[in-house]
Amino acid sequence: MSQSMIFDMDGTLFQTDKILELSLNDTFNHLRLLNKWDTETPIDNYREIMGVPLPKVWETLLQNHSIEVREQTDAYFLKRLIENIKSGKGALYPNVKEVFRYLKENQCTIYIASNGLKEYLKAIVSYYHLDEWVTETFSIQQIDSLNKSDLVKSIIDKYEITNGAVVGDRLSDINAAKDNGLVSIGCRFDFAREEELSQADLVIDDLIELQTLLPQLNK
């Protein structure tokens, strides 16, 4: 039976933490220069909501700013993220390429479903040559509802997936699997929360564990 694996990007495949604080500091320094921010960079506040779509991020971090300022900040932040990715300041989690190679060798189709924006995801996939294994990368921008479950459903519908799993670190990934009748595999990585992981069907501490789990999923 053919198997499909749908991976989250941030905090699952890509170690977002390595460029997050750097890019956020760049962005809020920019706001300070524009006299639109006068306190420390709210990195801790961002960590609390890590994984939500970026428009929601700016609604939270810039509550007292106009929609125009939020949109300008969003564009600047995206620019800094991409520049930091292309300059090699980010990193994949251990064993990503090894696991992808194993999955492809065992007739497993790989997709990415992320709350990240298209250009950001494209930068990661391109820099790390993930398209060697990934069939298609999907961004939350493609879904009007900005709902991860709807994004995963769009992948299932497009590729007629009947058997598979969603691999991710947050509750939105776990719910996306359950809402679509797939197996949920939680990743106990940087941004994961135990109360969310407790709702997953399976939990891993390293992506390499997927090599052991794949035969079980195929049963």
Side-chain angles (χ1 to χ4, degrees):
M1 182 184 296
S2 62
Q3 182 72 235
S4 298
M5 287 274 195
I6 301 173
F7 288 85
D8 174 45
M9 178 66 88
D10 291 314
T12 300
L13 298 176
F14 185 66
Q15 296 187 55
T16 316
D17 212 25
K18 290 187 178 296
I19 62 167
L20 175 63
E21 187 167 349
L22 184 65
S23 302
L24 206 62
N25 272 325
D26 290 343
T27 301
F28 278 85
N29 282 336
H30 178 68
L31 288 174
R32 290 183 191 100
L33 290 173
L34 298 175
N35 294 316
K36 293 177 180 176
W37 193 261
D38 60 5
T39 59
E40 64 183 15
T41 301
I43 184 69
D44 289 337
N45 292 348
Y46 193 6
R47 290 179 188 282
E48 290 177 6
I49 57 174
M50 182 67 194
V52 304
L54 276 175
K56 302 290 185 183
V57 167
W58 304 120
E59 284 178 22
T60 302
L61 300 186
L62 301 176
Q63 293 180 14
N64 299 320
H65 293 68
S66 67
I67 292 176
E68 181 182 12
V69 170
R70 291 176 192 169
E71 290 177 347
Q72 291 170 350
T73 303
D74 187 45
Y76 188 86
F77 182 60
L78 177 62
K79 178 183 176 183
R80 293 306 306 149
L81 282 170
I82 290 173
E83 288 176 355
N84 285 325
I85 291 165
K86 290 182 176 179
S87 63
K89 294 177 181 175
L92 297 176
Y93 276 95
N95 302 311
V96 168
K97 292 186 176 182
E98 291 83 351
V99 167
F100 277 8
R101 191 175 296 114
Y102 173 85
L103 293 176
K104 289 293 285 186
E105 288 173 353
N106 286 272
Q107 287 72 55
C108 182
T109 310
I110 302 168
Y111 308 92
I112 293 172
S114 171
N115 281 338
L117 301 179
K118 291 178 183 177
E119 290 303 309
Y120 167 73
L121 298 172
K122 182 179 178 182
I124 297 172
V125 170
S126 175
Y127 185 83
Y128 295 102
H129 307 291
L130 297 182
D131 47 3
E132 181 178 342
W133 303 282
V134 177
T135 297
E136 187 171 352
T137 299
F138 292 78
S139 163
I140 202 68
Q141 277 183 293
Q142 298 168 236
I143 299 295
D144 291 337
S145 67
L146 298 181
N147 184 291
K148 194 70 168 282
S149 294
D150 293 339
L151 183 62
V152 168
K153 184 178 187 302
S154 72
I155 301 173
I156 291 171
D157 290 346
K158 179 173 182 177
Y159 287 97
E160 299 181 344
I161 295 169
T162 57
N163 190 42
V166 177
V167 183
D169 64 318
R170 298 306 303 269
L171 186 60
S172 59
D173 304 304
I174 295 167
N175 286 338
K178 293 188 174 184
D179 291 344
N180 289 286
L182 301 180
V183 175
S184 58
I185 301 176
C187 299
R188 191 176 280 113
F189 298 168
D190 295 321
F191 301 104
R193 297 180 179 179
E194 286 301 322
E195 66 270 21
E196 296 182 357
L197 292 177
S198 67
Q199 300 183 50
D201 296 315
L202 301 163
V203 178
I204 59 174
D205 295 291
D206 189 304
L207 289 169
I208 203 71
E209 294 174 48
L210 292 175
Q211 295 184 185
T212 304
L213 291 177
L214 185 62
Q216 298 178 37
L217 295 175
N218 283 330
K219 289 180 180 179

